[in-house]
């Protein structure tokens, strides 16, 4: 039974249009939310094993903005890029080309693994006036407070890639394991939101193309973090971090903020790595304030 979406009413008031773009010789599916004449356009990049639906709760709380939300190659409705390993270089190159095709010069937002992709692309020269990173990966995942669970995840994805294909695919899409992952990340005590989080993971967490793409993306997600790129990102940057994040501790996020030439850190209490599901209004509020015009009319 599908769980009630607590953000559905807000989201239903925002127009949305599905589109496609040709990027790196493949087709990228993306969704455009909000008014066409909005003052601000944001390209929003989802996290590992997710797809565009995951960021909809934040979109629901940004009704005046135009949000362009693609599915990463190999996830959701975007097929893998033909003939390429899906490593971080591929994803950063894809994002830069997608940005040029869909909304050149847009503000760029990344959540979790998307924060690494965004940071790599912007540091590599992708045009963006401002950068927003939600639950940024600000330290090596294997060194987080749940490093043991991350090491178990490494084994899980390794096994999924090495077993016979049918068994490997079944392991990687196993509903019980997906639920354990979901339970480990959720911090909210609200039963309705908790059911919604689990339903989202049950519905969308296994919409990857195949185990090879998933393994490539996982390796990229645990082999890099935003620290590599922060000093080369000159644009004003907003970090929206969770005080109970098990992947990047808040102390590491505070250190990360100091590595940028111009960064603002907003900390959200009582939430972990699922800001986009559990506290989207707080995240959207921080984003709105960050993008508000200054007294001289600039953004």
């Amino acid at each position: 039974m599908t769980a009630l979406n607590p953000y559905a009413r807000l989201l239903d008031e925002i127009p949305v249009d599905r589109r496609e773009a040709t990027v790196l010789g493949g087709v990228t599916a993306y969704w455009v939310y909000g008014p066409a004449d909005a003052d601000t356009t944001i390209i929003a990049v989802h996290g590992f094993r997710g797809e565009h639906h995951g960021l909809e709760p934040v979109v629901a709380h940004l009704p005046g903005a135009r949000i362009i939300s693609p599915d990463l190659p190999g996830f959701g409705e975007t097929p893998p890029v033909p003939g390429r390993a899906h490593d971080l270089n591929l994803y950063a190159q894809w994002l830069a080309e997608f940005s040029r095709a869909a909304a050149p010069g847009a503000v760029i937002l990344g959540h979790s693994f998307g924060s690494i992709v965004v940071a790599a692309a912007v540091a590599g020269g992708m045009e963006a006036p401002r950068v927003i990173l939600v639950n940024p990966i600000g330290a090596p995942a294997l060194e987080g407070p749940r490093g043991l669970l991350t090491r178990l995840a490494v084994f899980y994805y390794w096994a999924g890639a090495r077993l016979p294909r049918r068994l490997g695919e079944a392991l990687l899409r196993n509903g019980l394991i997906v639920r354990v992952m979901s339970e480990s990340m959720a911090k909210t005590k609200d039963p309705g939101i908790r059911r919604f989080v689990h339903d989202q993971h049950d519905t969308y967490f296994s919409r990857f193309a195949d185990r090879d793409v998933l393994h490539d993306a996982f390796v990229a997600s645990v082999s890099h973090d935003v620290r590599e790129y922060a000093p080369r990102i000159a644009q004003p940057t907003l970090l929206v971090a969770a005080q109970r994040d098990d992947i990047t501790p808040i102390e590491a996020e505070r250190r990360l903020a100091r590595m940028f030439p111009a960064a603002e850190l907003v900390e959200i209490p009582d939430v972990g790595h699922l800001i986009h599901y559990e506290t989207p209004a707080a995240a959207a509020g921080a984003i709105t304030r960050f993008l508000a015009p200054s007294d001289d009319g600039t953004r």
Side-chain angles (χ1 to χ4, degrees):
M1 181 177 178
T2 301
L4 179 67
N5 182 342
Y7 314 111
R9 182 184 60 80
L10 292 174
L11 195 62
D12 287 345
E13 296 175 0
I14 298 174
V16 58
D17 181 33
R18 184 193 184 280
R19 301 181 187 178
E20 293 182 349
T22 300
V23 183
L24 299 182
V27 174
T28 291
Y30 68 101
W31 287 257
V32 181
Y33 301 84
D37 59 352
D39 291 336
T40 301
T41 296
I42 303 171
I43 294 176
V45 183
H46 64 77
F48 176 68
R49 280 193 76 151
E51 42 111 279
H52 73 281
H53 283 100
L55 292 173
E56 284 191 335
V58 179
V59 172
H61 290 87
L62 293 169
R66 181 171 178 258
I67 313 293
I68 296 176
S69 188
D71 284 349
L72 285 167
F75 296 89
E77 296 184 29
T78 298
V81 175
R84 295 285 299 270
H86 285 63
D87 55 17
L88 185 57
N89 287 335
L90 177 280
Y91 282 115
Q93 183 184 355
W94 163 84
L95 179 56
E97 186 166 319
F98 173 77
S99 173
R100 286 192 293 270
V107 173
I108 189 74
L109 178 153
H111 171 259
S112 189
F113 176 55
S115 74
I116 306 176
V117 174
V118 165
V122 174
M126 186 184 79
E127 181 184 359
R130 292 191 174 228
V131 178
I132 301 166
L133 306 179
V134 180
N135 284 124
I137 307 299
L142 294 177
E143 296 177 9
R146 290 199 176 184
L148 176 59
L149 286 180
T150 306
R151 285 173 172 78
L152 288 174
V154 170
F155 175 76
Y156 168 68
Y157 287 106
W158 176 87
R162 296 297 187 275
L163 287 169
R165 183 166 291 274
R166 174 181 280 184
L167 290 176
E169 293 273 356
L171 175 67
L172 293 169
R173 301 182 196 274
N174 182 275
L176 178 60
I177 295 175
V178 169
R179 178 55 62 91
V180 169
M181 292 178 183
S182 188
E183 289 282 0
S184 71
M185 289 189 288
K187 303 298 183 186
T188 181
K189 297 185 184 303
D190 183 308
I193 294 179
R194 202 170 184 93
R195 283 193 297 270
F196 169 69
V197 167
H198 297 330
D199 181 69
Q200 289 283 294
H201 287 146
D202 291 345
T203 304
Y204 301 117
F205 220 50
S206 294
R207 294 189 67 199
F208 53 88
D210 56 53
R211 66 177 185 173
D212 299 322
V213 166
L214 187 65
H215 183 261
D216 283 353
F218 176 74
V219 171
S221 74
V222 298
S223 301
H224 302 274
D225 61 73
V226 176
R227 296 177 308 167
E228 299 174 49
Y229 309 103
R232 289 185 280 144
I233 298 175
Q235 293 91 330
T237 300
L238 172 67
L239 308 181
V240 183
Q243 292 184 350
R244 298 179 63 194
D245 197 330
D246 291 321
I247 294 179
T248 301
I250 193 62
E251 294 81 5
E253 302 285 35
R254 292 165 183 162
R255 291 193 294 271
L256 174 65
R258 295 194 290 270
M259 296 179 184
F260 287 85
E264 172 188 349
L265 173 65
V266 172
E267 300 182 15
I268 302 181
D270 301 320
V271 69
H273 202 66
L274 303 180
I275 283 175
H276 58 311
Y277 285 143
E278 298 183 22
T279 58
I287 292 167
T288 299
R289 290 189 296 273
F290 176 68
L291 297 179
S294 62
D295 291 339
D296 62 4
T298 61
R299 290 184 180 274

